[in-house]
Amino acid sequence: MSTITGLGLVLLVLMVLVGGKQGWKSFLSIILNFGFLFFAVILIAFHLPPLAVTIFTGVVILAITIFMGEDDLLTTQTAFYASLIVLAVLILLIIPVEHWAMVQGFGEEDTEDLEGMSILIGINFLKVTVTTTVLSTLGAIAEAAMAISAGLAEVLQNHPQSTGKQLFHSGLSIGENIIGTTFNTLFFGFFGGFLALFIWFVGLGYSFSSIINNKIFVSELIMVLVSFVGVIITVPITSLVMARRKDKVVVDSSSKND
Amino acid sequence: MRMKKIINWRTLTMFLLVAVTGLIAMYFVNHNQAFYREPIGQVVAVKNGKPQKQKDTFDNVDHTTSQVVTVRVVNGKYKEQHIKVTNEFTDSHAMDQRYRVGDQVFLSIQRGGHGALSATIQGYKRDRVLVFLVWLVVCLLLLIMKFKGALAFLSVLLNAVIFFISIQLDLNFQGNHVMWIFGSLAFVFAVVTLLIVQGPTKQMMATLGATTIGTVLSMVISLLVFSWTHERGMYYESMQYVTQVARPLFLAETLLGSLGAVMDESTDIVSTLFELKTLNPDISAKSLFLSGRRVGQSIMGPLINVLFMIFMADTFTSSLLYIKNGNSWGYTFAMNMGLGTVQSLISGIGIVLAIPVASAFAGLLLGKRRA
C-alpha cells in the first residue's frame, strides 16, 4: 500500500466518523476536485484554449465544493451564484495583472529541475498562469461564500422580517468575523508550502530588491493577494445576492407554513 | 442617525487617504530606480525579427523570435544612455520574456573596446505589480471591513515577519532541528494570530489548545502511516528548491501549511459554542459537544478544499510540462502532484481531528457537569 492510499484511508475513516454522511460527501468532493484539476491539465495539453478550460473547470469545482459541502438549498444556491460573480470579477483582474507581471512558466531557480526537458512546448505559459492563479483561489472563494450565506440563512430563519439592507449589514459583520482567520489560512497555505524556496532566498543571500522582483516569489505573492481580494469581495457580493433572493425565499417558506 | 453619518464620513476620509497614498506609492515605484544598485532600463523601442519554427523530439511545435530592444538607462552612471539589446522569446514563454515599449528591466552593462556600451537583460522589474495589489487589498479591506480588516492584515504582516526570522534561525542551525524550530514557531504563530484576532480571553485559550492538539495529533498519525507504508510513493527528490535535507523540510512545510486552516476551524467552532453558552447558560457539556460537531461537519469539506486547491495549483505548470515531454499520466502525477497530495491529506486529517478536540475543549470548559 502506498503512503497516499494509507493517508487517504485514514482521512476517509476520520471524516465518516466525525461527519457521518456529510463527511463521506465532503471526501468525495475532494476526489472529484482532484479529477477535474487533472483533467484541466490534460485538456490544456491537448491545446484547448486555457481561458475556456479555466472557466469550465472553475465553475465545476465551485459547484462541487459548494453543493457537496452543505444540504441547505438556500445556503448553497446563494453561495454558488455569488461565487460565480466573484469568479468573473477575479478573472477580469487576473488577466491584466498576470500580463503585467510576466511571471509565467519557470524561474532561474527551477533550472535544475528542468534539466533534460524540452520547454518549447508551444503552449503559452502566460495563459497557463492565469489558469493556475484562478484555480488556487477557488477553494477560498467557495469557503467564504458558504460561510456568509450559511450565516445569513440562519439570520433569516430567526428574523424572517429582516429587510434587504439589514441582511446586507449582517453579512458584512459576519464577514468581519471570518476575515482574520481566513487570511491566515491563505497566508500559511501559500507560504508554508514555499518554505524551501524562502530558505533558498535567505541562504543564498538574495537582496530584498531581487526577492521582490523574483519571478517565482512574485508569482506566489500575486496568488496570495488575489485570493485576499477574492475573499474580501465575496463578503458584500454574497450579502447582496442573499438580500435579493430573500423575498422569494420568505414567500416560499410562508406558503409552506400555510 | 447623526452618529452613523460621522462614522461614514470618517470611513470616507480614511478611504480617500489610502487611495491617495496608493497613487503616491504607484508613482514612487515607477520612479524608484535611484534606490536600486542594479542598472535599470526603460524600453523605448522594439524591433521583432521573423519567427523561426522549432520542433522538439516530442513533436511540440514552437516559434522562436529574436527582438532588438532599445533601452534608455534610467539610473546609475550610464543614466540617459540609449543601448540596443538583443533578446529572444518563444511562443510558450517558459523561461523567456517578450519585451514591449514601456517595460522596465534590470540590465548588466559592459563597456566594450571602443567605449561602446553593450548590455544584457537580467530580468523584468515586477515590484510595481506587487505595490498595486497590496494597495488594492488594503483599500478593499478598509472600505468593506473597516477596523477588523486592518487587524486581519496586521496579523498577516506580523506572521510574515516571524516567518522570515524563523528562516534566519533555521539557517543559523544549518538546517539541523528543522522540525523543532518550525514546530515551536508554528506555536508562536498560533499564539500571535489568535491574540490579535480574539484578544487574551478564555475563548482564545480554548482555540489555541484545540489548534495545537489537532495539529500534533495529525502529525503523529501521519508519521505512523508513513512508517506502516514505508513511505512508498513519496518522492522527496521531486521536491522543489531544496537546499537542506528534504524530508524534515517537507514535514515542516506541511505543518505550517495546515496551521492556518486548523486555526480557522477551531476559531469557528469555539466561538459558536461560546455564543451558545451566552444564549443558554444552562447548556450541558454533551449538547455543546454535539453542536460543535455539527458546526465542524459543514465547514471541514470546504476548508480541506481551500488547502487542496492551493497545494495543487502550484503543481499545475510543471505537470503540464511533464505531459508534453511524453511522460505517462501516472509518472506525471507521482513526480509533480504526489507530495502535494500527501500534504493535502495530512492537512485534511488535522482539520477533521480539530473538530472533536475543539468541541470537547469548549464543552468541558463551558458545559454544566452533572452532579
Side-chain angles (χ1 to χ4, degrees), chain A residues 80-151:
Chain A
F80 184 60
Y81 292 146
S83 64
L84 287 186
I85 300 174
V86 176
L87 177 66
V89 175
L90 277 192
I91 289 180
L92 291 180
L93 171 72
I94 289 170
I95 292 176
V97 161
E98 295 293 355
H99 280 78
W100 185 18
M102 298 209 278
V103 288
Q104 76 285 357
F106 307 91
E108 280 166 47
E109 291 78 7
D110 290 307
T111 320
E112 203 181 317
D113 294 327
L114 297 178
E115 225 164 89
M117 302 255 259
S118 159
I119 56 169
L120 301 176
I121 61 170
I123 295 172
N124 190 344
F125 277 106
L126 204 52
K127 292 181 179 163
V128 178
T129 312
V130 174
T131 311
T132 54
T133 310
V134 171
L135 291 180
S136 72
T137 64
L138 289 177
I141 300 172
E143 204 245 353
M146 281 180 70
I148 304 288
S149 93

Side-chain angles (χ1 to χ4, degrees), chain B residues 113-366:
Chain B
H114 305 287
L117 293 179
S118 64
T120 46
I121 296 178
Q122 299 290 317
Y124 179 68
K125 191 162 175 283
R126 298 189 169 88
D127 53 357
R128 300 189 277 181
V129 189
L130 292 186
V131 171
F132 166 73
L133 280 176
V134 169
W135 173 68
L136 185 66
V137 168
V138 173
C139 275
L140 284 172
L141 266 180
L142 287 177
L143 195 65
I144 298 171
M145 309 286 176
K146 323 224 166 64
F147 179 64
K148 286 232 173 137
L151 266 189
F153 204 65
L154 181 77
S155 78
V156 169
L157 283 184
L158 246 171
N159 279 336
V161 172
I162 304 176
F163 193 71
F164 272 93
I165 294 174
S166 65
I167 288 171
Q168 213 33 269
L169 210 65
D170 167 67
L171 285 162
N172 286 346
F173 283 101
Q174 278 142 12
N176 296 317
H177 321 295
V178 173
M179 268 322 273
W180 286 113
I181 294 175
F182 289 105
S184 37
L185 271 142
F187 187 71
V188 175
F189 277 135
V191 173
V192 169
T193 312
L194 293 175
L195 271 180
I196 292 178
V197 177
Q198 300 186 337
T201 53
K202 219 167 148 190
Q203 188 176 337
M204 178 251 161
M205 292 307 290
T207 315
L208 182 66
T211 306
T212 316
I213 294 178
T215 311
V216 169
L217 270 181
S218 81
M219 289 312 275
V220 170
I221 291 181
S222 307
L223 286 175
L224 283 178
V225 176
F226 276 19
S227 68
W228 281 331
T229 55
H230 305 291
E231 302 188 26
R232 194 174 319 152
M234 304 260 308
Y235 301 104
Y236 291 112
E237 66 271 24
S238 71
M239 223 175 128
Q240 289 172 301
Y241 319 122
V242 177
T243 48
Q244 300 179 346
V245 187
R247 189 171 178 273
L249 205 57
F250 172 77
L251 292 174
E253 282 190 350
T254 309
L255 178 70
L256 287 179
S258 70
L259 182 69
V262 178
M263 255 193 297
D264 193 339
E265 189 185 50
S266 310
T267 308
D268 279 356
I269 294 175
V270 172
S271 56
T272 309
L273 296 189
F274 268 74
E275 200 158 317
L276 281 180
K277 170 77 178 177
T278 43
L279 289 176
N280 174 14
D282 290 328
I283 196 161
S284 75
K286 194 179 170 205
S287 66
L288 274 173
F289 179 82
L290 290 178
S291 306
R293 214 182 98 171
R294 217 163 23 248
V295 175
Q297 279 172 357
S298 62
I299 49 178
M300 70 180 176
L303 209 50
I304 297 175
N305 274 311
V306 173
L307 287 187
F308 180 72
M309 293 313 292
I310 292 176
F311 292 156
M312 284 307 174
D314 274 331
T315 65
F316 198 94
T317 312
S318 50
S319 303
L320 184 63
L321 190 73
Y322 264 69
I323 288 198
K324 293 303 278 182
N325 272 263
N327 293 300
S328 70
W329 292 7
Y331 185 69
T332 302
F333 170 80
M335 293 314 284
N336 294 290
M337 298 177 157
L339 288 182
T341 308
V342 172
Q343 248 169 353
S344 310
L345 290 172
I346 298 179
S347 310
I349 293 173
I351 290 169
V352 178
L353 283 175
I355 298 171
V357 177
S359 310
F361 248 102
L364 290 178
L365 212 62
L366 300 171

